């Protein structure tokens, strides 16, 4: 059983160690850690109930304590109370963040997906197909044959020249002229 006198001495030692840590004394901070770690861990674990998360939060709390030790004001309370309050707040923040994340996940999961209008897409494809057919019908038979072999038959320019028994340059000219005609008929901007 801890007496009031020994508790006061321990708290005074923690406050002194924190004051030294505020000036960059790492050994003093280690003393402060030893004096308060059990209380900090217990506070965080009671709030979070998850040992792994509790260890993360305890580490964050002591890192924050090291960085902000100079802000500790002994006139406002004990060093023990300061670090335990900081731990409790950090643990509550972690719980709230987890709840907010879960709430966002649920809200996103329940958002209504706009209905997919397959009919309008099918009509659009049919209209585009009709436009392409009309444009192909405007080509000369030689241009149409070269474009059909190249784009629908997957043939190379050289293969088309061999299949049609014409020079390679002639195939390229037919393709170029046919594509220009298609572009003009379909109203594609240059």
């Amino acid at each position: 059983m801890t007496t009031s006198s020994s508790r006061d001495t321990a708290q005074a030692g923690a406050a002194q160690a924190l004051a030294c840590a505020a000036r960059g004394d790492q050994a003093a901070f280690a003393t402060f850690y030893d004096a308060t770690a059990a209380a900090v861990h217990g506070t965080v674990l009671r709030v979070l109930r998850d040992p792994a998360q509790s260890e993360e939060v305890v580490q964050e709390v002591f890192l924050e304590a090291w960085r902000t030790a100079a802000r500790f004001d002994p006139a406002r309370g004990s060093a023990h109370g300061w670090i335990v309050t900081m731990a409790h707040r950090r643990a509550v923040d972690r719980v709230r963040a987890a709840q907010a994340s879960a709430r966002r996940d649920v809200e996103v999961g329940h958002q209504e997906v706009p209905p997919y209008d397959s009919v309008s897409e099918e009509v659009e494809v049919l209209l585009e197909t009709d436009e392409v057919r009309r444009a192909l019908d405007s080509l000369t038979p030689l241009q149409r044959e070269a474009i059909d072999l190249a784009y629908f038959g997957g043939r190379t320019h050289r293969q088309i020249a061999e299949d049609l028994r014409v020079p390679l340059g002639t195939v390229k000219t037919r393709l170029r002229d046919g594509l220009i005609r298609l572009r003009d008929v379909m109203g594609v901007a240059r």
Side-chain angles (χ1 to χ4, degrees):
M1 181 171 167
T2 307
T3 64
S4 175
S5 171
S6 64
R7 186 179 9 212
D8 291 342
T9 304
Q11 287 190 4
Q16 184 179 6
L18 187 58
C20 291
R23 295 188 296 272
D25 186 341
Q26 292 178 1
F29 189 76
T31 301
F32 175 72
Y33 176 87
D34 290 340
T36 58
V40 168
H41 188 262
T43 300
V44 171
L45 188 58
R46 272 192 304 278
V47 174
L48 293 179
R49 296 188 177 124
D50 177 0
Q53 279 195 30
S54 296
E55 289 174 10
E56 285 180 26
V57 171
V58 167
Q59 184 177 5
E60 291 170 8
V61 167
F62 278 105
L63 183 61
E64 183 180 355
W66 171 254
R67 290 181 182 155
T68 62
R71 290 190 217 153
F72 169 67
D73 182 4
R76 297 182 67 196
S78 70
H80 185 270
W82 177 74
I83 191 83
V84 169
T85 300
M86 188 185 303
H88 186 264
R89 287 181 181 158
R90 182 66 66 117
V92 169
D93 287 347
R94 178 69 66 104
V95 169
R96 287 180 180 156
Q99 288 172 341
S101 177
R103 194 170 35 254
R104 278 191 304 273
D105 290 346
V106 168
E107 288 172 2
V108 168
H110 285 89
Q111 286 181 348
E112 229 177 273
V113 177
Y116 176 69
D117 189 2
S118 63
V119 173
S120 66
E121 186 173 314
E122 289 174 23
V123 168
E124 190 175 324
V125 168
L126 287 174
L127 290 174
E128 289 173 354
T129 303
D130 286 343
E131 185 179 6
V132 170
R133 280 192 188 126
R134 280 193 307 277
L136 285 171
D137 288 343
S138 72
L139 299 176
T140 67
L142 295 174
Q143 290 171 341
R144 189 176 324 112
E145 182 180 35
I147 286 178
D148 185 45
L149 288 171
Y151 293 97
F152 301 113
R155 315 283 287 165
T156 66
H157 294 174
R158 187 169 310 283
Q159 290 171 333
I160 296 169
E162 290 171 4
D163 290 349
L164 298 179
R165 296 190 176 117
V166 294
L168 181 61
T170 302
V171 168
K172 290 181 179 183
T173 301
R174 289 178 187 173
L175 287 170
R176 187 198 71 224
D177 291 347
L179 291 174
I180 290 171
R181 178 77 179 142
L182 286 174
R183 182 190 66 207
D184 293 343
V185 170
M186 294 182 73
V188 176
R190 296 179 198 205

